[in-house]
Amino acid sequence: MSPSNTWQEMHSKMPLYFEVGAQEVWIVDTGGKVAFFAPGNTPLEHSRLIPDAPTQI
């Protein structure tokens, strides 16, 4: 996520990724926080695909 992106914009893009087969979407904000989402833009606490994926980088 770049400084010019908004969360609203990111949420509107997620369905496009899921439509083409993404199983999860990961968004890293400008502070390094990683947010994970399942289809339907459902927030996840951690990645279901890589449970040990960092939540902060």
Side-chain angles (χ1 to χ4, degrees):
M1 187 170 167
S2 70
S4 64
N5 293 121
T6 65
W7 276 103
Q8 181 180 4
E9 179 184 6
M10 301 311 292
H11 279 279
S12 70
K13 290 180 179 184
M14 281 193 268
L16 302 173
Y17 300 126
F18 291 123
E19 284 177 16
V20 295
Q23 296 177 34
E24 287 184 349
V25 171
W26 297 12
I27 298 174
V28 181
D29 69 17
T30 56
K33 183 176 185 221
V34 183
F36 304 96
F37 296 88
N41 293 11
T42 304
L44 302 169
E45 279 193 44
H46 299 281
S47 169
R48 292 178 183 164
L49 300 174
I50 305 173
D52 292 333
T55 57
Q56 181 74 36
I57 56 170

